[in-house]
Every structure is written in C-alpha cells, then in structure tokens.
Amino acid sequence: MDSVLQVVKSINNVLWSYLLIFLLCGTGIMFTVMLKGVQVTRFMDSVRRVFHRGSRKGQADSKGMNSFQSLATAVAAQVGTGNLAGAATAIAAGGPGAIFWMWVTAFFGMATIFAEAVLAQIYKEDINGEVRGGPAFYISKGLKCKGLAVFFSVTIIIALGFVGNMVQANSIGEAFKEAFGINPIIMGAITVVVAGLIFRGGVKQIASFTEKIVPFMAVLYMIGGLYILLSNLSGTIHGIEMIFVGAFNPRAATGGLLGVGVKQAVRYGVARGLFSNEAGMGSTPHAHAIAKVRNPIDQGIVAMFGVFFDTFIILTITALIILSNVPIDGKMTGITLTQFAFKQGMGQLGTIFVAVALLFFAFSTIIGWYFFGEANIRYLFSSKKSVDIYSYVVLVFIFLGCLLKVELVWELADMFNGLMVLPNIIALIGLSGVVKKGLEEYNRKEGDFK
C-alpha cells in the first residue's frame, strides 16, 4: 500500500501542482470574462429561482426531473465529505490559507458550472426511453470527438462511482467509529444495503430522496455550525484572519507549526475545492442535464447556486469551526480533526453531531455519484444489464472503502478526479462560443426572472 501511495502522490503532484490549477482557474476566469461576470449579474436571479415554487413543479420520470430536484441531486453530490473531512484535510496539509483558495476556485467555478449545465441541457439525449446528458454527450455531439467522450466516461465511472464512493464510505465508517465505537465494516454493510435499495428505484427514487434529504441536512448543519461560531465569536473572527493571512503567508498563520508554503496552500485549496464543489470536473452536469426547463440557460443560472451553497456556506462553516477551536499543527487530519473541533465547541455532542451530519452528507453524495456514473454507463453501453452490473460493482467499492487507509483513498480520488477534468475542460473551452451565444440570446429575449 505504501508503494502504491507514493506512485499516486507523484501523479497527483504533476496534475494538481502544475496542470489542473491553471486549467480550472483559467477556465473559470475565461467564462467569467466571456459571460460578463454571470455569477455576479445573475446571482440574485439564481437565488430566486431556487426558492421559487415554479422550480418544484412536476415530478421525476423517464424524461427527467423538475429544476429543484436536479439541483438537489447536484447538491447531494457536491455537499459530501469534501465539506467535512476535505476541509480539514486541506487545512492540515495546506494551512488555513487553503480555504481562501477554495473560495477563489468556487467564485470562478460558478461561471464554469453555469457553462457545464447549459451544455448538458443543449446536448442531452433520450437513450432507450431515459433522458440522460453530461460531458460525454456534449463532447461527442458538440466537439464530434467520440474517443475523448469515451475517455471521460471511463474516468468518471472510476473516479466517482468506484473510488469516489470509497471516500464517502471511508469517512462514514471512521466517523461512526469515533462517535459510537461502531466497527466500520458494520457501517459499510448498512450503507450498502440502503444504497442498493435506492439504486434499484431508478431516477424517481433518487429524485425523491435528494429533494427531501438535501434541504433537511443543510438546515440541520447550518444551525449546529452557527451555534458553535456565535458561541465563540472572537475565535471565529480569528479564524477568518488566519484564512486571509495564510493564503499569502502560511507560516505566519500557524506560527510556523505546519511549515507549508503558498504553493501547498494553493494546491490543496484548489484540489479540495474541486472535490467539494465539483465545478469544472464534469460531474454535476449529469443532474442538470435532465431538468425540465424552458431554456438551457435557466438551469445554468440555477446550477450556480449549488457551488455557492457548497463552498461559501457549508464548507466555510466547517473551516471556521476548525480554525476557531483547534491549534493547527498537522497532527490531526480528515474527519478526526473535524470531529475534535466540533467536540471543542459542543462537548461530546459535537462528535455525534458530525457523525450524523457526515452520514447524511456522504450518503447523499453516494447516491448522486452513482447516478452520474450510471449516465455514463448508459452512454457507453445503453443496456439495462450493464446498469445492473455497474450498480453491483459500486456497492462492492462502497464496502471496500471502509477497509483502506484514508490517505490512499483521498489520493486515489484526487488522481481520478484530475484525469476526468481534462476532457471536460477541453470540451468547455471548445464549446464556449455556444454558451456565450446562448446567454446573449437569452438576455435579449427573457430578461430578468419573474
């Protein structure tokens, strides 16, 4: 395992330290400029749409979901261990400044995810009576590059359906072991059974699950998190200061305890930021593709809210709780660090609170990521049997996730996430003119949302 870990780390160092940081941020900046700051000019429009009753009209079927259900499915995938264990891992490895770079990535990522959702809507297809869409579809139909589409499909199936869901299961197992002393294998078995039942229910069951569980888990977490932050307001303010100082002078933020530099802060901030909000990764477009909307731009506007909520609200709450309650020295990381911080803020109840929150977050992500992988299975094979086989393999990986070292699981997730980003970024750049033209026409015809 140690030799495998070193190889994976070397690959990730090339991907995340030299290549993807520039590609992801560069693409986000490109779309921000090209779309004239759509994440700013259309932000309030995005918020209104999310909470408008019209976004909840209609139910999920073979032709898709309503706009809110699609967003909920996307957010279910976005709000996962990246918001709890991932934030802690970023701080432990890159210092408090990593959170600043997560924010930067998310801001530009809002423009990127707008483009992803629009393209997913434009190029979606009906496959054997089931509507599906995503990067593989807009790569093959828009770019006319079948080989690149196949590469994307294979990497996302491995990245999210298999390795990514191992991360989710791993964190659930560790959290419940810490909080209740439950053997991770037992939690793995329970997760497999419940997930399997939802998988079998198809798109209707997935939509029904996400539209109920996502609002509940979000409100629950915000109430608990804000209670801790407001109870220790001076610590919270100091945590905010550490983030801004650490972004440009990491050693000053921790008194030199971590010994990290700006490069590490950026690397882990961008990597964990991507893993958290998934902008540019090519995952959430699968959910936005099947939204039943009048115009592709409508869902692009809604999609931006998912990145904002994931990073600027949920992840920021986690980061500030850690920074305001725990000395950052690199000795603790992952979900253990998050639980310790919550325990400092809420007593023993904090450990239990994180375990329960993580169960909701990680399990909902498992459902979302399964669905994203399934869309690509349908793209590659278009048969029910292949979907059934895929679902069984995913369940095996979920169980195996409880048995591996957390560091190796996270590094594998980083590697496959990085590989799947590459074809998606190529497609986004190649089809950027389609997005720009669509938004310009929409602005002329539709105006503001009423």
Side-chain angles (χ1 to χ4, degrees):
M1 285 294 183
D2 288 339
S3 59
V4 172
L5 179 61
Q6 292 308 312
V7 171
V8 174
K9 277 187 171 182
S10 297
I11 295 172
N12 284 340
N13 185 54
V14 174
L15 282 172
W16 290 106
S17 297
Y18 301 102
L19 185 60
L20 294 180
I21 286 176
F22 301 105
L23 285 177
L24 286 167
C25 292
T27 302
I29 292 169
M30 180 194 75
F31 277 114
T32 298
V33 174
M34 181 179 288
L35 305 178
K36 299 178 180 178
V38 67
Q39 68 269 59
V40 177
T41 61
R42 286 284 182 173
F43 177 71
M44 291 310 300
D45 191 0
S46 179
V47 175
R48 287 195 296 269
R49 287 172 185 272
V50 170
F51 294 99
H52 192 270
R53 289 178 298 176
S55 67
R56 293 169 173 79
K57 288 183 179 179
Q59 291 302 312
D61 55 30
S62 61
K63 301 303 179 184
M65 308 175 181
N66 64 43
S67 182
F68 181 79
Q69 289 171 331
S70 291
L71 176 66
T73 302
V75 172
Q78 291 168 308
V79 179
T81 57
N83 299 85
L84 295 174
T89 304
I91 291 171
I99 303 303
F100 175 86
W101 297 110
M102 282 183 162
W103 291 342
V104 172
T105 303
F107 174 76
F108 292 117
M110 290 173 71
T112 304
I113 210 162
F114 171 88
E116 289 181 294
V118 170
L119 291 173
Q121 276 282 324
I122 291 173
Y123 294 105
K124 62 184 177 183
E125 293 182 12
D126 188 311
I127 302 176
N128 297 327
E130 296 276 349
V131 173
R132 291 292 186 272
F137 296 85
Y138 56 71
I139 291 171
S140 60
K141 293 176 66 178
L143 283 186
K144 310 294 183 184
C145 189
K146 180 79 172 179
L148 197 62
V150 170
F151 177 78
F152 174 84
S153 289
V154 171
T155 53
I156 193 174
I157 290 167
I158 296 173
L160 301 188
F162 300 156
V163 178
N165 279 332
M166 291 175 75
V167 170
Q168 308 304 321
N170 186 286
S171 295
I172 291 174
E174 288 295 318
F176 272 74
K177 180 181 178 181
E178 178 73 19
F180 306 107
I182 298 176
N183 191 317
I185 295 177
I186 295 175
M187 286 306 301
I190 294 172
T191 303
V192 164
V193 171
V194 180
L197 292 174
I198 296 175
F199 294 170
R200 299 291 293 178
V203 67
K204 292 182 181 179
Q205 189 63 45
I206 290 172
S208 177
F209 172 81
T210 57
E211 72 173 340
K212 294 181 178 65
I213 203 67
V214 167
F216 173 77
M217 72 182 191
V219 171
L220 176 69
Y221 190 74
M222 285 190 292
I223 291 174
L226 290 174
Y227 167 78
I228 296 175
L229 294 178
L230 294 175
S231 298
N232 181 19
L233 197 55
S234 60
T236 300
I237 295 172
H238 179 60
I240 295 172
E241 180 185 358
M242 290 174 70
I243 291 172
F244 285 98
V245 171
F248 304 100
N249 190 352
R251 288 175 175 81
T254 60
L257 290 176
L258 280 183
V260 300
V262 173
K263 182 179 177 180
Q264 278 179 278
V266 175
R267 182 259 195 257
Y268 282 98
V270 174
R272 292 290 173 257
L274 170 66
F275 192 83
S276 175
N277 64 57
E278 304 185 28
M281 194 163 69
S283 53
T284 55
H286 298 91
H288 295 300
I290 64 173
K292 300 173 184 177
V293 291
R294 293 180 301 110
N295 189 302
I297 301 298
D298 290 328
Q299 196 61 24
I301 292 171
V302 169
M304 294 190 298
F305 184 82
V307 173
F308 173 82
F309 178 77
D310 169 271
T311 303
F312 290 101
I313 297 180
I314 300 297
L315 185 141
T316 299
I317 288 174
T318 306
L320 289 176
I321 288 173
I322 293 171
L323 294 174
S324 61
N325 286 280
V326 184
I328 305 303
D329 55 13
K331 294 180 180 179
M332 280 192 294
T333 188
I335 197 63
T336 303
L337 174 57
T338 304
Q339 284 184 307
F340 183 76
F342 270 79
K343 186 176 181 180
Q344 294 297 104
M346 300 175 74
Q348 185 58 37
L349 179 62
T351 303
I352 298 172
F353 180 84
V354 172
V356 173
L358 187 68
L359 176 63
F360 283 117
F361 285 12
F363 186 76
S364 65
T365 298
I366 286 173
I367 302 305
W369 283 358
Y370 163 82
F371 178 71
F372 301 163
E374 184 214 90
N376 286 275
I377 288 291
R378 289 181 182 275
Y379 171 79
L380 292 173
F381 304 107
S382 66
S383 69
K384 187 179 184 304
K385 184 177 181 181
S386 63
V387 173
D388 290 339
I389 293 173
Y390 164 73
S391 66
Y392 294 135
V393 176
V394 171
L395 293 175
V396 170
F397 272 86
I398 290 171
F399 185 75
L400 290 176
C402 296
L403 309 180
L404 294 180
K405 290 173 60 177
V406 66
E407 186 178 9
L408 176 59
V409 174
W410 275 105
E411 291 291 342
L412 283 170
D414 272 356
M415 183 180 73
F416 284 105
N417 284 342
L419 291 175
M420 65 182 269
V421 167
L422 297 175
N424 186 53
I425 292 295
I426 292 171
L428 290 175
I429 295 172
L431 298 172
S432 58
V434 176
V435 180
K436 180 182 179 182
K437 181 180 178 181
L439 180 59
E440 288 174 345
E441 291 180 354
Y442 183 87
N443 286 337
R444 285 196 299 267
K445 297 177 181 179
E446 302 288 338
D448 292 330
F449 177 68
K450 303 298 183 184

